Amino acid sequence: MFFEVFASLLFCLFNISFKFDISLLAFPISIAFTIVLAYFQKIKLVKNGDGSFAPVVNKMNEYLPYVNLLTFILRRAGKDGTPFFVDLIQVLLWIVVTVLVFINIKMLKQKNIELISSEWKIKPVYKKSVGIKRFFMEIVEWIDALVWSIFTVLLVQLFVFQLYEIPSESMVDTFLVKDKVIVSKYNCGPKFPLTDIGLPTITKYKKGDTVVLRNPHYRIDRESEVKSVVSQIVYMLTFMTVNLNTDDNGQLKADPLVKRIVGQPGEQLVMQDGVLYYRTKNDDTFVPSKIDEKYANWDLNALSSKIKRKIQYFPLTQDEYETMLSFENQRREFDLNVAEFQAKQIVNSLYSLRKNVKLQGTFQNANLSEYDIFKNIQNLSQNVLMQNGGVEWLEEFLLSWIPSKNVIKDMYSESNYKLNVMTKITIGNLVLRYAQLIIDKTPASLWSSDSVLKENMEMANKLNWYIQGLLDLRNMPVFPANDKEGNPQYLPEKCYFMMGDNRFNSLDLRHSMDQSLKTLSAYDKMSVEYYSMMSPQYINQKYIIGKPVYKFWPLDRMGFVE
C-alpha cells in the first residue's frame, strides 16, 4: 500500500502547472484524491486498524487509475502541453500505480482480507444494508457500477478495441450505413491521450487493408487534439448524449474516417478513367493496381439487389454511367491534328464574317471558367463578332494549346489536355454558329431549333457535366508530383494513401473540403478553368488509429472485414 501511495504522489508532482489555463486543475484534483486515499488507507485502515474502511479504500483504489488518467489529460490540455520526458515518466508512474492498485484490490477483497486483518481492532464489515438505507445504497452501487464501466470502456477504447458505426456510404459495398464493426487498436500503436507515448505499431500495413484514420481535412494540432479527447470523454460520461467534436462552424466532424489503403511507401500513383496506376523506383512505367481494381466501386447499379436495397444514394444511373464511359472513350480517340485544323478554320471563318459588321466598343477578355463561358455563350459570341479585338482574342484562345501539342505528357495531363481542347473547339463552334445567325439576321426565336447549335450545345452540356461533376472523381494527377526537374517522387516511409471504395461518394485523400478555380491543362497558357477539389495528400501511419476486423451488426452482414 505504501508503494502505491508513494508512486501516486510522484505522479501528482508532475501534474503541477504554472499556467493559468485548464492544466492548473490537474495537480489539485490528483493530489486531493491521493491524500484522501492515503488518509483512509494508512491512518484509518493500517494505523487505527479500523477494517470498516476497507470497502471505501477498495473503491477508491478502483478509481485511482482513472482519476490519474483524467488529470494526466487535464495537464496536457493547456496551451503549452508537456515535454516528452515528462510524458514518459508520468506514463511509467501511471502503469506502476495501476499494477499496485490491482494487487491492493485483490488483497482487500472479502475472501482475502482475513489474511491481513487478524490484528485489526475493527473487523471489515460486508453486510448488506436493510430498509431505506439499502434502497439508497443500491442506487449508489448502480451509479458506481455505471460510472466505473464507462471509465473502463474508455480505457479499452483508447488501447484495445473500439466499436464503430459506419456513418456514410463512402465504403460501399464493404460497409453500409449503420454497419457496426469492431476496430482493433492495440496493434496500431495506440498512444496515451495528447502524447506520443504508447504501444508500438505491430501491424504491417499493406495495400487493400481497411483502416480507421484521423480525418486530415481538419486541423490536427494541439488545440484540435485536446478538443477531440475531451469530447470523447464527455461523450462517454454523458452516456453518448453530448458530442462536442464539432468543427469551426459547429457541425459534427466526420472524424475518424474508414478508408482503404491504395498506396504505400515507395510508390507514385496516378488515376485515369477510374483505373489506379502505380510505379516504384525500380520501374519507370505505371501499371494498374490489381488490388484497387478488386475493391473500387464505380457502378453501384451492378451490385446485387440485396445490397442495392440498402444503398441510400446512387451517384449515377446506369444510363449515366454508360454515357460517362462513352464520353471517356470519345476523349481518348480525340484527334489533336484534326482539332488544330478545325480551330484554324473557325478563326478564318470569323474573320470573314466580321467584314460584314460595323465594330462598336472594345472587347474585354472573357472569364476562362468553362461553366461561365458556356453559360454566357450568346453574349460572348455577339461581343466577339461586334467588338474591336473580339476575334483576335478568340483566335489566341482557340490556338494557344497548339505549341504544346507534341510535348510528351503523363496520362493524366494528356487526358486533361484533350479535354481542354475539346472544350475550346465546342466553344469555337458555338461562337461561329451564333455569329453566322447574327449575320444572316435569323430571328432569335428560331435559334433554339437550329440543328448545329443543338448538336454543339449537347456537347457543351456533356463537357460541363463531366468536367464539373466527374473529372476529379474519376481521375487524379501524378502523386506525389514530380519535382521541378521532372524526377519522380514517392510516398515517404510510414506514409500511406487511402481512398473510399465508393469512388463517386467518398471525400478521401484525393480531395480537399473546399473548391477553387483551377486550370484544366498546365500545357495551355489560356486553358479553360473549372472548380476543383483536387488536392491529394498522404497520411503518416501515426494517424491510423485502428483496423476494422469484424462486422457484428446487422446479423446478415456479420463477418470478418477483408
Side-chain angles (χ1 to χ4, degrees), residues 269-298:
L269 311 168
V270 65
M271 187 162 70
Q272 187 57 51
D273 296 342
V275 179
L276 183 70
Y277 299 83
Y278 74 97
R279 67 180 177 186
T280 65
K281 295 178 181 178
N282 300 323
D283 192 349
D284 292 337
T285 305
F286 282 106
V287 295
S289 172
K290 297 299 183 183
I291 293 177
D292 188 68
E293 188 177 307
K294 177 181 177 182
Y295 295 109
N297 255 316
W298 293 106

PDB file of all heavy atoms in Angstrom, residues 269-298:
ATOM      1  N   LEU A 269       1.647   7.393 -57.618  1.00  0.00           N
ATOM      2  CA  LEU A 269       0.331   6.997 -58.097  1.00  0.00           C
ATOM      3  C   LEU A 269      -0.192   7.956 -59.155  1.00  0.00           C
ATOM      4  O   LEU A 269       0.222   9.118 -59.221  1.00  0.00           O
ATOM      5  CB  LEU A 269      -0.667   6.961 -56.935  1.00  0.00           C
ATOM      6  CG  LEU A 269      -0.252   6.202 -55.671  1.00  0.00           C
ATOM      7  CD1 LEU A 269      -1.214   6.501 -54.538  1.00  0.00           C
ATOM      8  CD2 LEU A 269      -0.195   4.702 -55.946  1.00  0.00           C
ATOM      9  N   VAL A 270      -1.120   7.471 -59.950  1.00  0.00           N
ATOM     10  CA  VAL A 270      -1.898   8.312 -60.855  1.00  0.00           C
ATOM     11  C   VAL A 270      -3.183   7.546 -61.150  1.00  0.00           C
ATOM     12  O   VAL A 270      -3.174   6.305 -61.197  1.00  0.00           O
ATOM     13  CB  VAL A 270      -1.132   8.652 -62.156  1.00  0.00           C
ATOM     14  CG1 VAL A 270      -0.879   7.407 -62.989  1.00  0.00           C
ATOM     15  CG2 VAL A 270      -1.870   9.700 -62.980  1.00  0.00           C
ATOM     16  N   MET A 271      -4.291   8.257 -61.304  1.00  0.00           N
ATOM     17  CA  MET A 271      -5.551   7.587 -61.625  1.00  0.00           C
ATOM     18  C   MET A 271      -6.146   8.210 -62.881  1.00  0.00           C
ATOM     19  O   MET A 271      -6.246   9.440 -62.982  1.00  0.00           O
ATOM     20  CB  MET A 271      -6.547   7.684 -60.468  1.00  0.00           C
ATOM     21  CG  MET A 271      -7.806   6.862 -60.699  1.00  0.00           C
ATOM     22  SD  MET A 271      -8.748   6.526 -59.189  1.00  0.00           S
ATOM     23  CE  MET A 271      -9.359   8.173 -58.837  1.00  0.00           C
ATOM     24  N   GLN A 272      -6.532   7.364 -63.820  1.00  0.00           N
ATOM     25  CA  GLN A 272      -7.103   7.842 -65.074  1.00  0.00           C
ATOM     26  C   GLN A 272      -8.298   6.982 -65.453  1.00  0.00           C
ATOM     27  O   GLN A 272      -8.200   5.753 -65.508  1.00  0.00           O
ATOM     28  CB  GLN A 272      -6.052   7.801 -66.190  1.00  0.00           C
ATOM     29  CG  GLN A 272      -6.507   8.446 -67.481  1.00  0.00           C
ATOM     30  CD  GLN A 272      -6.937   9.893 -67.275  1.00  0.00           C
ATOM     31  OE1 GLN A 272      -6.198  10.697 -66.689  1.00  0.00           O
ATOM     32  NE2 GLN A 272      -8.124  10.225 -67.733  1.00  0.00           N
ATOM     33  N   ASP A 273      -9.428   7.648 -65.680  1.00  0.00           N
ATOM     34  CA  ASP A 273     -10.664   6.970 -66.072  1.00  0.00           C
ATOM     35  C   ASP A 273     -11.019   5.850 -65.105  1.00  0.00           C
ATOM     36  O   ASP A 273     -11.452   4.755 -65.505  1.00  0.00           O
ATOM     37  CB  ASP A 273     -10.560   6.428 -67.502  1.00  0.00           C
ATOM     38  CG  ASP A 273     -10.396   7.550 -68.532  1.00  0.00           C
ATOM     39  OD1 ASP A 273     -10.692   8.712 -68.198  1.00  0.00           O
ATOM     40  OD2 ASP A 273      -9.955   7.259 -69.660  1.00  0.00           O
ATOM     41  N   GLY A 274     -10.808   6.106 -63.821  1.00  0.00           N
ATOM     42  CA  GLY A 274     -11.199   5.143 -62.800  1.00  0.00           C
ATOM     43  C   GLY A 274     -10.216   4.033 -62.538  1.00  0.00           C
ATOM     44  O   GLY A 274     -10.463   3.178 -61.682  1.00  0.00           O
ATOM     45  N   VAL A 275      -9.094   4.016 -63.244  1.00  0.00           N
ATOM     46  CA  VAL A 275      -8.073   2.981 -63.030  1.00  0.00           C
ATOM     47  C   VAL A 275      -6.898   3.601 -62.269  1.00  0.00           C
ATOM     48  O   VAL A 275      -6.342   4.620 -62.704  1.00  0.00           O
ATOM     49  CB  VAL A 275      -7.576   2.388 -64.357  1.00  0.00           C
ATOM     50  CG1 VAL A 275      -6.496   1.339 -64.105  1.00  0.00           C
ATOM     51  CG2 VAL A 275      -8.741   1.781 -65.135  1.00  0.00           C
ATOM     52  N   LEU A 276      -6.537   3.011 -61.143  1.00  0.00           N
ATOM     53  CA  LEU A 276      -5.407   3.492 -60.354  1.00  0.00           C
ATOM     54  C   LEU A 276      -4.136   2.790 -60.818  1.00  0.00           C
ATOM     55  O   LEU A 276      -4.081   1.561 -60.876  1.00  0.00           O
ATOM     56  CB  LEU A 276      -5.635   3.226 -58.867  1.00  0.00           C
ATOM     57  CG  LEU A 276      -4.550   3.755 -57.931  1.00  0.00           C
ATOM     58  CD1 LEU A 276      -4.569   5.282 -57.882  1.00  0.00           C
ATOM     59  CD2 LEU A 276      -4.715   3.190 -56.519  1.00  0.00           C
ATOM     60  N   TYR A 277      -3.126   3.585 -61.156  1.00  0.00           N
ATOM     61  CA  TYR A 277      -1.828   3.061 -61.586  1.00  0.00           C
ATOM     62  C   TYR A 277      -0.774   3.409 -60.536  1.00  0.00           C
ATOM     63  O   TYR A 277      -0.921   4.390 -59.794  1.00  0.00           O
ATOM     64  CB  TYR A 277      -1.411   3.679 -62.917  1.00  0.00           C
ATOM     65  CG  TYR A 277      -2.356   3.416 -64.066  1.00  0.00           C
ATOM     66  CD1 TYR A 277      -3.489   4.194 -64.251  1.00  0.00           C
ATOM     67  CD2 TYR A 277      -2.095   2.402 -64.985  1.00  0.00           C
ATOM     68  CE1 TYR A 277      -4.353   3.965 -65.320  1.00  0.00           C
ATOM     69  CE2 TYR A 277      -2.945   2.169 -66.059  1.00  0.00           C
ATOM     70  CZ  TYR A 277      -4.082   2.956 -66.214  1.00  0.00           C
ATOM     71  OH  TYR A 277      -4.931   2.728 -67.271  1.00  0.00           O
ATOM     72  N   TYR A 278       0.284   2.622 -60.489  1.00  0.00           N
ATOM     73  CA  TYR A 278       1.382   2.919 -59.571  1.00  0.00           C
ATOM     74  C   TYR A 278       2.710   2.500 -60.203  1.00  0.00           C
ATOM     75  O   TYR A 278       2.760   1.681 -61.123  1.00  0.00           O
ATOM     76  CB  TYR A 278       1.195   2.201 -58.230  1.00  0.00           C
ATOM     77  CG  TYR A 278       1.456   0.722 -58.272  1.00  0.00           C
ATOM     78  CD1 TYR A 278       2.697   0.190 -57.876  1.00  0.00           C
ATOM     79  CD2 TYR A 278       0.482  -0.161 -58.735  1.00  0.00           C
ATOM     80  CE1 TYR A 278       2.943  -1.167 -57.933  1.00  0.00           C
ATOM     81  CE2 TYR A 278       0.727  -1.527 -58.792  1.00  0.00           C
ATOM     82  CZ  TYR A 278       1.957  -2.020 -58.385  1.00  0.00           C
ATOM     83  OH  TYR A 278       2.211  -3.372 -58.450  1.00  0.00           O
ATOM     84  N   ARG A 279       3.768   3.101 -59.681  1.00  0.00           N
ATOM     85  CA  ARG A 279       5.123   2.682 -60.063  1.00  0.00           C
ATOM     86  C   ARG A 279       6.039   2.888 -58.874  1.00  0.00           C
ATOM     87  O   ARG A 279       5.714   3.623 -57.939  1.00  0.00           O
ATOM     88  CB  ARG A 279       5.633   3.455 -61.282  1.00  0.00           C
ATOM     89  CG  ARG A 279       5.879   4.939 -61.044  1.00  0.00           C
ATOM     90  CD  ARG A 279       6.382   5.588 -62.317  1.00  0.00           C
ATOM     91  NE  ARG A 279       6.564   7.035 -62.161  1.00  0.00           N
ATOM     92  CZ  ARG A 279       6.885   7.852 -63.167  1.00  0.00           C
ATOM     93  NH1 ARG A 279       7.081   7.375 -64.383  1.00  0.00           N
ATOM     94  NH2 ARG A 279       7.026   9.141 -62.954  1.00  0.00           N
ATOM     95  N   THR A 280       7.190   2.222 -58.906  1.00  0.00           N
ATOM     96  CA  THR A 280       8.174   2.340 -57.829  1.00  0.00           C
ATOM     97  C   THR A 280       9.503   2.792 -58.415  1.00  0.00           C
ATOM     98  O   THR A 280       9.640   2.972 -59.630  1.00  0.00           O
ATOM     99  CB  THR A 280       8.359   0.978 -57.121  1.00  0.00           C
ATOM    100  OG1 THR A 280       8.927   0.051 -58.055  1.00  0.00           O
ATOM    101  CG2 THR A 280       7.033   0.445 -56.611  1.00  0.00           C
ATOM    102  N   LYS A 281      10.479   2.947 -57.551  1.00  0.00           N
ATOM    103  CA  LYS A 281      11.813   3.359 -58.011  1.00  0.00           C
ATOM    104  C   LYS A 281      12.441   2.329 -58.944  1.00  0.00           C
ATOM    105  O   LYS A 281      13.342   2.654 -59.718  1.00  0.00           O
ATOM    106  CB  LYS A 281      12.727   3.581 -56.793  1.00  0.00           C
ATOM    107  CG  LYS A 281      12.293   4.740 -55.903  1.00  0.00           C
ATOM    108  CD  LYS A 281      13.195   4.878 -54.689  1.00  0.00           C
ATOM    109  CE  LYS A 281      12.727   6.023 -53.796  1.00  0.00           C
ATOM    110  NZ  LYS A 281      13.566   6.163 -52.574  1.00  0.00           N
ATOM    111  N   ASN A 282      11.965   1.111 -58.862  1.00  0.00           N
ATOM    112  CA  ASN A 282      12.525   0.035 -59.682  1.00  0.00           C
ATOM    113  C   ASN A 282      11.845  -0.111 -61.040  1.00  0.00           C
ATOM    114  O   ASN A 282      12.218  -0.981 -61.831  1.00  0.00           O
ATOM    115  CB  ASN A 282      12.432  -1.291 -58.921  1.00  0.00           C
ATOM    116  CG  ASN A 282      13.188  -1.246 -57.609  1.00  0.00           C
ATOM    117  OD1 ASN A 282      14.248  -0.642 -57.516  1.00  0.00           O
ATOM    118  ND2 ASN A 282      12.620  -1.873 -56.583  1.00  0.00           N
ATOM    119  N   ASP A 283      10.813   0.731 -61.295  1.00  0.00           N
ATOM    120  CA  ASP A 283      10.068   0.601 -62.550  1.00  0.00           C
ATOM    121  C   ASP A 283       9.568   1.966 -62.978  1.00  0.00           C
ATOM    122  O   ASP A 283       8.805   2.605 -62.256  1.00  0.00           O
ATOM    123  CB  ASP A 283       8.894  -0.361 -62.356  1.00  0.00           C
ATOM    124  CG  ASP A 283       8.257  -0.766 -63.680  1.00  0.00           C
ATOM    125  OD1 ASP A 283       8.600  -0.146 -64.712  1.00  0.00           O
ATOM    126  OD2 ASP A 283       7.426  -1.682 -63.677  1.00  0.00           O
ATOM    127  N   ASP A 284       9.983   2.426 -64.143  1.00  0.00           N
ATOM    128  CA  ASP A 284       9.572   3.737 -64.637  1.00  0.00           C
ATOM    129  C   ASP A 284       8.154   3.748 -65.184  1.00  0.00           C
ATOM    130  O   ASP A 284       7.576   4.802 -65.410  1.00  0.00           O
ATOM    131  CB  ASP A 284      10.526   4.218 -65.738  1.00  0.00           C
ATOM    132  CG  ASP A 284      11.914   4.538 -65.199  1.00  0.00           C
ATOM    133  OD1 ASP A 284      12.004   4.813 -63.992  1.00  0.00           O
ATOM    134  OD2 ASP A 284      12.881   4.499 -65.985  1.00  0.00           O
ATOM    135  N   THR A 285       7.575   2.590 -65.403  1.00  0.00           N
ATOM    136  CA  THR A 285       6.276   2.500 -66.066  1.00  0.00           C
ATOM    137  C   THR A 285       5.151   2.342 -65.037  1.00  0.00           C
ATOM    138  O   THR A 285       5.236   1.517 -64.127  1.00  0.00           O
ATOM    139  CB  THR A 285       6.243   1.301 -67.034  1.00  0.00           C
ATOM    140  OG1 THR A 285       7.339   1.411 -67.945  1.00  0.00           O
ATOM    141  CG2 THR A 285       4.936   1.258 -67.792  1.00  0.00           C
ATOM    142  N   PHE A 286       4.088   3.131 -65.209  1.00  0.00           N
ATOM    143  CA  PHE A 286       2.905   2.970 -64.375  1.00  0.00           C
ATOM    144  C   PHE A 286       2.146   1.715 -64.800  1.00  0.00           C
ATOM    145  O   PHE A 286       1.924   1.481 -65.988  1.00  0.00           O
ATOM    146  CB  PHE A 286       1.975   4.183 -64.512  1.00  0.00           C
ATOM    147  CG  PHE A 286       2.418   5.382 -63.724  1.00  0.00           C
ATOM    148  CD1 PHE A 286       2.975   6.475 -64.369  1.00  0.00           C
ATOM    149  CD2 PHE A 286       2.273   5.424 -62.352  1.00  0.00           C
ATOM    150  CE1 PHE A 286       3.379   7.595 -63.657  1.00  0.00           C
ATOM    151  CE2 PHE A 286       2.672   6.535 -61.625  1.00  0.00           C
ATOM    152  CZ  PHE A 286       3.232   7.622 -62.277  1.00  0.00           C
ATOM    153  N   VAL A 287       1.754   0.919 -63.807  1.00  0.00           N
ATOM    154  CA  VAL A 287       0.967  -0.290 -64.088  1.00  0.00           C
ATOM    155  C   VAL A 287      -0.308  -0.244 -63.251  1.00  0.00           C
ATOM    156  O   VAL A 287      -0.329   0.327 -62.156  1.00  0.00           O
ATOM    157  CB  VAL A 287       1.766  -1.571 -63.762  1.00  0.00           C
ATOM    158  CG1 VAL A 287       2.958  -1.709 -64.671  1.00  0.00           C
ATOM    159  CG2 VAL A 287       2.204  -1.587 -62.291  1.00  0.00           C
ATOM    160  N   PRO A 288      -1.400  -0.838 -63.757  1.00  0.00           N
ATOM    161  CA  PRO A 288      -2.661  -0.817 -62.994  1.00  0.00           C
ATOM    162  C   PRO A 288      -2.529  -1.580 -61.679  1.00  0.00           C
ATOM    163  O   PRO A 288      -1.836  -2.587 -61.592  1.00  0.00           O
ATOM    164  CB  PRO A 288      -3.651  -1.517 -63.933  1.00  0.00           C
ATOM    165  CG  PRO A 288      -3.024  -1.453 -65.286  1.00  0.00           C
ATOM    166  CD  PRO A 288      -1.544  -1.491 -65.061  1.00  0.00           C
ATOM    167  N   SER A 289      -3.204  -1.073 -60.653  1.00  0.00           N
ATOM    168  CA  SER A 289      -3.220  -1.731 -59.351  1.00  0.00           C
ATOM    169  C   SER A 289      -4.330  -2.774 -59.336  1.00  0.00           C
ATOM    170  O   SER A 289      -5.518  -2.437 -59.333  1.00  0.00           O
ATOM    171  CB  SER A 289      -3.448  -0.706 -58.231  1.00  0.00           C
ATOM    172  OG  SER A 289      -3.650  -1.348 -56.993  1.00  0.00           O
ATOM    173  N   LYS A 290      -3.958  -4.040 -59.325  1.00  0.00           N
ATOM    174  CA  LYS A 290      -4.933  -5.121 -59.345  1.00  0.00           C
ATOM    175  C   LYS A 290      -5.753  -5.154 -58.056  1.00  0.00           C
ATOM    176  O   LYS A 290      -6.936  -5.489 -58.062  1.00  0.00           O
ATOM    177  CB  LYS A 290      -4.231  -6.467 -59.555  1.00  0.00           C
ATOM    178  CG  LYS A 290      -3.504  -6.587 -60.899  1.00  0.00           C
ATOM    179  CD  LYS A 290      -4.472  -6.458 -62.066  1.00  0.00           C
ATOM    180  CE  LYS A 290      -3.754  -6.642 -63.394  1.00  0.00           C
ATOM    181  NZ  LYS A 290      -4.678  -6.447 -64.545  1.00  0.00           N
ATOM    182  N   ILE A 291      -5.103  -4.821 -56.950  1.00  0.00           N
ATOM    183  CA  ILE A 291      -5.812  -4.826 -55.666  1.00  0.00           C
ATOM    184  C   ILE A 291      -6.890  -3.754 -55.661  1.00  0.00           C
ATOM    185  O   ILE A 291      -8.025  -3.985 -55.219  1.00  0.00           O
ATOM    186  CB  ILE A 291      -4.822  -4.610 -54.501  1.00  0.00           C
ATOM    187  CG1 ILE A 291      -3.883  -5.813 -54.385  1.00  0.00           C
ATOM    188  CG2 ILE A 291      -5.567  -4.385 -53.187  1.00  0.00           C
ATOM    189  CD1 ILE A 291      -2.838  -5.677 -53.315  1.00  0.00           C
ATOM    190  N   ASP A 292      -6.556  -2.569 -56.174  1.00  0.00           N
ATOM    191  CA  ASP A 292      -7.551  -1.498 -56.206  1.00  0.00           C
ATOM    192  C   ASP A 292      -8.708  -1.862 -57.123  1.00  0.00           C
ATOM    193  O   ASP A 292      -9.869  -1.561 -56.821  1.00  0.00           O
ATOM    194  CB  ASP A 292      -6.906  -0.197 -56.677  1.00  0.00           C
ATOM    195  CG  ASP A 292      -7.843   0.985 -56.534  1.00  0.00           C
ATOM    196  OD1 ASP A 292      -8.133   1.360 -55.384  1.00  0.00           O
ATOM    197  OD2 ASP A 292      -8.307   1.514 -57.566  1.00  0.00           O
ATOM    198  N   GLU A 293      -8.398  -2.510 -58.216  1.00  0.00           N
ATOM    199  CA  GLU A 293      -9.432  -2.926 -59.167  1.00  0.00           C
ATOM    200  C   GLU A 293     -10.421  -3.881 -58.494  1.00  0.00           C
ATOM    201  O   GLU A 293     -11.614  -3.886 -58.820  1.00  0.00           O
ATOM    202  CB  GLU A 293      -8.759  -3.616 -60.351  1.00  0.00           C
ATOM    203  CG  GLU A 293      -9.683  -3.928 -61.509  1.00  0.00           C
ATOM    204  CD  GLU A 293      -8.914  -4.547 -62.665  1.00  0.00           C
ATOM    205  OE1 GLU A 293      -7.909  -3.952 -63.099  1.00  0.00           O
ATOM    206  OE2 GLU A 293      -9.324  -5.636 -63.116  1.00  0.00           O
ATOM    207  N   LYS A 294      -9.942  -4.638 -57.532  1.00  0.00           N
ATOM    208  CA  LYS A 294     -10.784  -5.614 -56.843  1.00  0.00           C
ATOM    209  C   LYS A 294     -11.827  -4.939 -55.956  1.00  0.00           C
ATOM    210  O   LYS A 294     -12.962  -5.421 -55.846  1.00  0.00           O
ATOM    211  CB  LYS A 294      -9.893  -6.536 -55.992  1.00  0.00           C
ATOM    212  CG  LYS A 294     -10.645  -7.549 -55.159  1.00  0.00           C
ATOM    213  CD  LYS A 294      -9.680  -8.395 -54.336  1.00  0.00           C
ATOM    214  CE  LYS A 294     -10.425  -9.377 -53.448  1.00  0.00           C
ATOM    215  NZ  LYS A 294      -9.503 -10.182 -52.609  1.00  0.00           N
ATOM    216  N   TYR A 295     -11.458  -3.804 -55.325  1.00  0.00           N
ATOM    217  CA  TYR A 295     -12.338  -3.194 -54.328  1.00  0.00           C
ATOM    218  C   TYR A 295     -13.064  -1.937 -54.807  1.00  0.00           C
ATOM    219  O   TYR A 295     -14.113  -1.585 -54.255  1.00  0.00           O
ATOM    220  CB  TYR A 295     -11.534  -2.842 -53.068  1.00  0.00           C
ATOM    221  CG  TYR A 295     -10.986  -4.041 -52.345  1.00  0.00           C
ATOM    222  CD1 TYR A 295      -9.620  -4.325 -52.354  1.00  0.00           C
ATOM    223  CD2 TYR A 295     -11.826  -4.907 -51.659  1.00  0.00           C
ATOM    224  CE1 TYR A 295      -9.111  -5.436 -51.691  1.00  0.00           C
ATOM    225  CE2 TYR A 295     -11.334  -6.013 -50.998  1.00  0.00           C
ATOM    226  CZ  TYR A 295      -9.966  -6.272 -51.011  1.00  0.00           C
ATOM    227  OH  TYR A 295      -9.478  -7.359 -50.357  1.00  0.00           O
ATOM    228  N   ALA A 296     -12.510  -1.232 -55.797  1.00  0.00           N
ATOM    229  CA  ALA A 296     -13.098   0.046 -56.221  1.00  0.00           C
ATOM    230  C   ALA A 296     -14.498  -0.180 -56.799  1.00  0.00           C
ATOM    231  O   ALA A 296     -14.706  -1.037 -57.654  1.00  0.00           O
ATOM    232  CB  ALA A 296     -12.201   0.713 -57.255  1.00  0.00           C
ATOM    233  N   ASN A 297     -15.446   0.609 -56.326  1.00  0.00           N
ATOM    234  CA  ASN A 297     -16.817   0.523 -56.804  1.00  0.00           C
ATOM    235  C   ASN A 297     -17.172   1.786 -57.573  1.00  0.00           C
ATOM    236  O   ASN A 297     -17.216   2.882 -57.009  1.00  0.00           O
ATOM    237  CB  ASN A 297     -17.785   0.369 -55.630  1.00  0.00           C
ATOM    238  CG  ASN A 297     -18.304  -1.049 -55.505  1.00  0.00           C
ATOM    239  OD1 ASN A 297     -18.663  -1.669 -56.501  1.00  0.00           O
ATOM    240  ND2 ASN A 297     -18.326  -1.566 -54.297  1.00  0.00           N
ATOM    241  N   TRP A 298     -17.393   1.652 -58.862  1.00  0.00           N
ATOM    242  CA  TRP A 298     -17.799   2.791 -59.696  1.00  0.00           C
ATOM    243  C   TRP A 298     -19.272   2.699 -60.085  1.00  0.00           C
ATOM    244  O   TRP A 298     -19.961   3.703 -60.146  1.00  0.00           O
ATOM    245  CB  TRP A 298     -16.941   2.840 -60.962  1.00  0.00           C
ATOM    246  CG  TRP A 298     -15.509   3.163 -60.694  1.00  0.00           C
ATOM    247  CD1 TRP A 298     -14.438   2.311 -60.731  1.00  0.00           C
ATOM    248  CD2 TRP A 298     -14.965   4.448 -60.327  1.00  0.00           C
ATOM    249  NE1 TRP A 298     -13.282   2.973 -60.416  1.00  0.00           N
ATOM    250  CE2 TRP A 298     -13.575   4.282 -60.169  1.00  0.00           C
ATOM    251  CE3 TRP A 298     -15.524   5.697 -60.118  1.00  0.00           C
ATOM    252  CZ2 TRP A 298     -12.728   5.332 -59.816  1.00  0.00           C
ATOM    253  CZ3 TRP A 298     -14.694   6.752 -59.766  1.00  0.00           C
ATOM    254  CH2 TRP A 298     -13.308   6.563 -59.612  1.00  0.00           C
TER     255      TRP A 298
END
